[in-house]
Amino acid sequence: MTASPVDEELAAAFARDGVACVRGVLDPAELASAARAIEIVLANPSPIAQLASAADDPGSFFEDFCRWREIPEIEQLARHSRVPQAAAALMSTPQVRFYHDHVLVKDGGTRQRTPWHQDQPYYNVDGPGVSAWIPVDPVPADGCLELVASSHLGPWLMPRTFLAGEARWFPEGSLTELPDIDADPGAFDIRRFELRPGDAIFFDFLTVHGAPGFPYPGRRRVLSLRYLSAQARHAPRSWRTSPPFDGLEEELPAGSAMDHPLFPVVWPASSGPGHGASPNHAAAVGRPPGGLAGSSAGRRVRWPPAGPPAARCSCGATGT
């Protein structure tokens, strides 16, 4: 068994902040495999691939999902790299299931910003989960994913379409709106990192995050691998999730563990059913504590932001 890339101090920081940078999580051979997999995806997009940038953008932002069952390089990395081991340590869970893969490529010169959002409202699961955002190209801090520390401790916030800003999943007013982070970024503890290829940013499904455009000569190619803790449960939604898992509710009842071939156990490799997660992560699901989120500017903002009672969503997702 290889040494864990996550020590106790980093795991504690992740529980507090909902974000952690793990350096060199992929070795050179794995990094080459990840780059090869991304190129395969770009050459052969799936039916759910999409361009998330406007037609008049001088660059482009490409996304595709759930390719691991047909691209062996992605399956190998998702199952057998150090990434699932790191996910288990950060979530303090005895068992980790692979949820899905997500390829994100921003061309050099892309203006499109990825708006601030949480991933959790778009998913068909409730309970703790973590994403590993792994670039295969150098990423300067000014072109990096940006994350609001401690926002994972707050409620669900209104998900909107990225380009048009439409509320398609919850009725207007039923969830708390995101604060205007861009209006006063110094009031928030925003984390960004200068990344070398193979470094990874791990973040909780509820952590608020976004990304700038990429005004640099090269591409920013990213393989994101997403994992579920032992506490995660299937939560069929009344909306089309991203990514969609059509027909899954016919095979996996609502509220059940994610025990399905689509979500294989990847840590430990021979694990049986596991239970439990850290108290910090259990508290993060729909039960926000009082105002948190220190500011790098020396001020403090209230997190979670104030909103209507329906803003707190746990299993079953109020407000749908």
Side-chain angles (χ1 to χ4, degrees):
M1 182 182 297
T2 59
S4 173
V6 173
D7 59 20
E8 291 184 3
E9 182 179 358
L10 190 60
F14 181 82
R16 180 190 67 231
D17 300 331
V19 54
C21 182
V22 180
R23 301 292 183 181
V25 72
L26 297 186
D27 65 30
E30 291 170 333
L31 181 60
S33 182
R36 187 165 56 251
I38 292 172
E39 293 303 319
I40 293 172
V41 171
L42 289 170
N44 301 278
S46 79
I48 60 172
Q50 59 187 5
L51 283 179
S53 50
D56 61 350
D57 198 314
S60 68
F61 179 27
F62 170 89
E63 298 181 273
D64 204 355
F65 306 84
C66 300
R67 303 299 301 276
W68 68 273
R69 288 183 294 165
E70 57 190 286
I71 300 177
E73 290 90 341
I74 296 179
E75 180 176 11
Q76 178 70 18
L77 293 168
R79 287 178 177 268
H80 302 300
S81 69
R82 296 196 301 165
V83 180
Q85 183 181 11
L90 291 171
M91 291 191 290
S92 299
T93 180
Q95 183 193 78
V96 168
R97 289 184 181 273
F98 183 54
Y99 185 32
H100 70 272
D101 55 277
H102 185 185
V103 168
L104 310 98
V105 179
K106 278 190 177 177
D107 288 339
T110 301
R111 287 197 303 252
Q112 176 65 46
R113 176 179 177 85
T114 304
W116 296 103
H117 67 286
Q118 299 166 311
D119 286 344
Q120 180 73 71
Y122 300 95
Y123 290 164
N124 68 329
V125 294
D126 285 329
V130 67
S131 293
W133 195 86
I134 312 168
V136 302
D137 303 298
V139 177
D142 287 344
C144 182
L145 185 71
E146 301 172 325
L147 308 102
V148 180
S150 298
S151 56
H152 70 306
L153 299 174
W156 287 26
L157 301 170
M158 178 63 81
R160 295 184 176 275
T161 57
F162 282 6
L163 292 182
E166 298 173 347
R168 291 183 180 173
W169 299 275
F170 294 84
E172 290 283 2
S174 63
L175 292 185
T176 302
E177 292 290 341
L178 275 159
D180 191 350
I181 297 170
D182 292 328
D184 188 12
F188 299 87
D189 187 357
I190 298 174
R191 306 291 174 86
R192 59 179 68 84
F193 307 88
E194 182 175 340
L195 301 175
R196 297 180 297 273
D199 292 343
I201 299 174
F202 286 79
F203 59 98
D204 187 280
F205 286 174
L206 273 173
T207 298
V208 173
H209 60 286
F214 202 69
Y216 298 96
R219 294 180 295 173
R220 193 208 67 188
R221 296 172 296 168
V222 172
L223 176 63
S224 187
L225 301 174
R226 294 172 181 169
Y227 296 91
L228 303 172
S229 79
Q231 282 192 330
R233 294 295 181 266
H234 187 212
R237 309 299 187 189
S238 59
W239 60 89
R240 187 169 177 80
T241 59
S242 178
F245 292 97
D246 295 336
L248 183 62
E249 66 274 11
E250 299 172 6
E251 303 177 30
L252 200 62
S256 61
M258 302 297 285
D259 186 9
H260 189 278
L262 286 175
F263 316 109
V265 173
V266 293
W267 183 263
S270 59
S271 173
H275 302 281
S278 70
N280 286 321
H281 278 76
V285 183
R287 193 164 58 85
L292 288 172
S295 162
S296 57
R299 292 179 289 155
R300 296 182 68 83
V301 297
R302 185 180 185 275
W303 198 280
R312 293 188 296 174
C313 295
S314 56
C315 295
T318 61
T320 59

